[in-house]
Amino acid sequence: MREIRRVNTKMSDAAPTVEGSEIALDADWNAAYIDGEWRRLEGRERIDVTNPSTGEVITQVPAASRDDVDEAFAAAKEAQVEWENTPLEERASVVRTVAKLLEEYEDEVREILAAEGGSAKSKQDIEWGGSVSFGYDAAQYAYRADGRHAQSQIPGKENIVERKPVGVVGVISPWNVPLKLSFRAVAPAIATGNSVVLKPAEDTSISGGLLLARLFEEAGLPDGVLNVVPGEGATAGDQAASHPDCDVMAFTGSTRAGRIVGKNVVDHFGFPALELGGNNPHVVLEDADLDAAVEAGTFGSFWNQGQVCISINRHIVHESVYDEYAERLAERAAELKVGNPVDDDDVVVGPIINESQRDQMMEYVEETVEAGGEVLTGGEADGLFVEPTVITNVTNDMAAACNEHFGPIVPVIPFSDDEEAVEIANDTEYGLAGSVHSGDLGRARDVSDQIDVGMMHVNDQPVNVEPHMPFGGMKESGIGRYNGEYIIDEFTEVKWTSVQREDRGYPF
């Protein structure tokens, strides 16, 4: 690993600071980043950041208080005015430089993702690589937040529609794909002239927040435009969503937590951009190419241990190919290597992030078996390592099917005709993503068009993200969309200005 460059940090008179910052797993991460200063936040509780594969504490980070969050918003609000008026190319250049730094620090970033989040190499590839490509795309949002000129029904009037930054964007990001899901909100917000207060998930405070602070600092972002406050959701997260200066809250997480966040931000008329849970169907019709359907189902279920909102939660398979599909999927699942991704690049299934997540998913498996489900392979856990698990004889109301299990678990549900497949797929409060396999693309489209999700993939699987395509769901899977013009809409406000260029007559 090459020598790490150090970044000069501004010293704070208000609180002890970190002497220097570096992009490495073993760097000093025990600080918040507020108004361009690395603050120790002495006197605060500390949060252990743990390697889920080994149980080793990597570092500690401060649990920011409500007052710390207030300071971050004060800094963001003050910095945003000047940042909005910064030339477009300067804004774009900062975001572009962060993408370049992610490329330069690839080895260090991958090490952090593997150790802090339990990310296998295949997950690192997508998270790191996707973050790089997303950064380059988001840099152009500075130029794409444009308005329009419109004619008027009133003689001599000119109509101008402008897009202005909303102001301060709050971001609460999750632990499952922390770097990418933080960056997909932070980069567009900054490119479009907003400032940001970011509260990363407790389990991934480095990759989900503090790492980005150091990269943006090295890229030359002015003080206060990005602030990172690690902390507990019930304290720092609630304060961020409730803060009157939070104009938009970009939250990614569970529907349960999203309801709380949404109510908090709406209470002061901020906008809730919520990407929430999913119960994503993978529908396999009887004329599907089973080789393709099984391979897609394997990836879509077991990438990142199933810990992703768009993973396959239910395999809905026609009864005529049900047994063959389930057996072949179980064979593929049993072949996947489980272990510590820090030590072995061949590992496909790494650890579950923490004990509570593991316990919940294993409870769903146990309840499903008690209700009549049959485990074809897996079904056990060793520490935080959960075996890839395939369960048959499942109905849509069993625990592993009706809940977002968020693990390497495959409940397989039979159906008899297309109408029943659609009915099963839609029988959930969620509507995030899905996939349909068929040898007849027209038929696959007919089925997919009837499934109520925000993202649908024909002859593929749901784990798909492209930086220019809308990402988000229907029903209780969220509000709003990420990426491209859709996130620009979220992070800007429309202003109509009319100019009367010649005298106008009035009725009185």
Side-chain angles (χ1 to χ4, degrees):
M1 192 175 295
R2 63 175 152 56
E3 181 179 357
I4 305 299
R5 294 178 296 171
R6 289 185 175 270
V7 180
N8 292 325
T9 54
K10 176 181 174 183
M11 301 302 293
S12 168
D13 295 329
T17 64
V18 179
E19 293 296 332
S21 53
E22 54 185 29
I23 311 299
L25 178 64
D26 59 358
D28 185 356
W29 298 101
N30 194 0
Y33 186 66
I34 301 173
D35 200 15
E37 300 168 348
W38 289 95
R39 301 188 185 183
R40 291 284 189 189
L41 303 185
E42 301 294 351
R44 309 293 189 270
E45 295 292 329
R46 254 49 190 173
I47 299 171
D48 288 341
V49 178
T50 304
N51 182 328
S53 294
T54 65
E56 173 192 3
V57 175
I58 298 169
T59 189
Q60 291 186 321
V61 298
S65 68
R66 295 179 184 275
D67 288 342
D68 299 324
V69 174
D70 288 346
E71 287 192 35
F73 272 98
K77 185 175 182 179
E78 182 176 355
Q80 190 274 327
V81 176
E82 184 174 351
W83 182 243
E84 176 180 352
N85 294 311
T86 299
L88 298 182
E89 180 52 32
E90 291 185 30
R91 297 191 337 227
S93 178
V94 168
V95 176
R96 193 182 306 117
T97 299
V98 171
K100 292 177 181 177
L101 290 171
L102 281 169
E103 290 182 299
E104 184 174 340
Y105 288 123
E106 177 182 355
D107 292 344
E108 291 82 355
V109 171
R110 284 180 177 272
E111 183 182 20
I112 290 169
L113 294 175
E116 185 186 37
S119 300
K121 185 177 183 300
S122 59
K123 193 258 192 174
Q124 298 169 33
D125 291 343
I126 292 175
E127 182 164 15
W128 168 80
S131 297
V132 170
S133 61
F134 186 85
Y136 284 118
D137 189 72
Q140 298 307 307
Y141 295 2
Y143 294 96
R144 290 166 60 184
D146 52 7
R148 65 189 181 94
H149 183 278
Q151 293 194 10
S152 173
Q153 62 183 356
I154 299 171
K157 180 181 287 295
E158 177 185 8
N159 285 317
I160 302 164
V161 180
E162 299 175 276
R163 284 201 170 273
K164 299 286 190 179
V166 293
V168 180
V169 174
V171 180
I172 300 176
S173 60
W175 49 261
N176 59 328
V177 192
L179 173 62
K180 189 173 183 180
L181 298 188
S182 295
F183 196 43
R184 73 169 180 179
V186 171
I190 288 174
T192 52
N194 300 284
S195 57
V196 176
V197 175
L198 167 62
K199 205 295 285 185
E202 296 94 310
D203 291 291
T204 51
S205 295
I206 301 173
S207 53
L210 298 173
L211 171 62
L212 285 176
R214 290 190 176 171
L215 293 172
F216 272 100
E217 181 184 44
E218 185 166 343
L221 186 70
D223 296 347
V225 178
L226 173 62
N227 305 271
V228 179
V229 282
E232 302 287 347
T235 303
D238 282 357
Q239 184 69 3
S242 303
H243 201 282
D245 290 331
C246 180
D247 297 295
V248 172
M249 171 50 72
F251 172 83
T252 304
S254 71
T255 296
R256 177 190 58 79
R259 283 194 179 94
I260 299 171
V261 170
K263 289 177 182 177
N264 285 339
V265 69
V266 166
D267 190 55
H268 63 269
F269 296 100
F271 179 79
L274 308 177
E275 197 259 287
L276 307 177
N279 189 348
N280 311 305
H282 181 64
V283 178
V284 181
L285 305 180
E286 73 271 20
D287 62 349
D289 179 336
L290 283 193
D291 288 336
V294 168
E295 288 305 303
T298 300
F299 176 80
S301 294
F302 299 119
W303 182 78
N304 194 29
Q305 300 78 262
Q307 298 178 129
V308 57
C309 60
I310 52 176
S311 68
I312 300 170
N313 206 77
R314 296 169 294 158
H315 293 239
I316 303 172
V317 182
H318 192 272
E319 58 191 12
S320 67
V321 295
Y322 180 87
D323 289 339
E324 182 182 358
Y325 178 87
E327 289 170 4
R328 291 172 64 173
L329 190 63
E331 290 174 1
R332 287 289 288 116
E335 295 170 353
L336 301 178
K337 190 169 187 178
V338 180
N340 183 349
V342 174
D343 298 334
D344 189 346
D345 281 349
D346 292 330
V347 163
V348 174
V349 178
I352 302 306
I353 191 68
N354 57 43
E355 291 182 356
S356 65
Q357 288 288 325
R358 177 207 59 198
D359 291 348
Q360 181 66 84
M361 68 183 65
M362 296 310 294
E363 183 178 327
Y364 291 149
V365 171
E366 182 179 347
E367 291 176 2
T368 301
V369 172
E370 289 175 352
E374 179 183 350
V375 174
L376 288 190
T377 190
E380 301 293 334
D382 180 7
L384 293 183
F385 297 98
V386 173
E387 295 176 337
T389 299
V390 177
I391 312 173
T392 57
N393 298 331
V394 178
T395 58
N396 209 41
D397 59 351
M398 291 183 182
C402 66
N403 296 289
E404 184 183 27
H405 52 65
F406 225 63
I409 299 165
V410 175
V412 189
I413 304 170
F415 70 88
S416 59
D417 56 35
D418 293 3
E419 290 74 17
E420 185 182 14
V422 171
E423 181 181 353
I424 293 171
N426 285 337
D427 187 19
T428 173
E429 66 268 33
Y430 299 109
L432 188 57
S435 48
V436 175
H437 275 252
S438 173
D440 182 337
L441 292 181
R443 181 184 177 195
R445 279 298 308 272
D446 288 342
V447 171
S448 67
D449 286 348
Q450 297 176 70
I451 297 175
D452 299 328
V453 295
M455 299 172 284
M456 174 56 72
H457 305 281
V458 172
N459 287 348
D460 196 359
Q461 47 70 49
V463 183
N464 279 280
V465 180
E466 296 190 37
H468 61 302
M469 289 290 100
F471 191 101
M474 300 178 180
K475 300 194 287 191
E476 294 187 16
S477 287
I479 299 172
R481 294 293 186 271
Y482 285 89
N483 301 345
E485 64 190 89
Y486 310 96
I487 196 66
I488 293 174
D489 286 344
E490 310 285 350
F491 290 166
T492 58
E493 291 184 313
V494 173
K495 181 177 181 179
W496 169 35
T497 301
S498 76
V499 179
Q500 190 66 38
R501 295 194 175 276
E502 56 187 61
D503 289 344
R504 175 183 176 180
Y506 300 98
F508 61 87

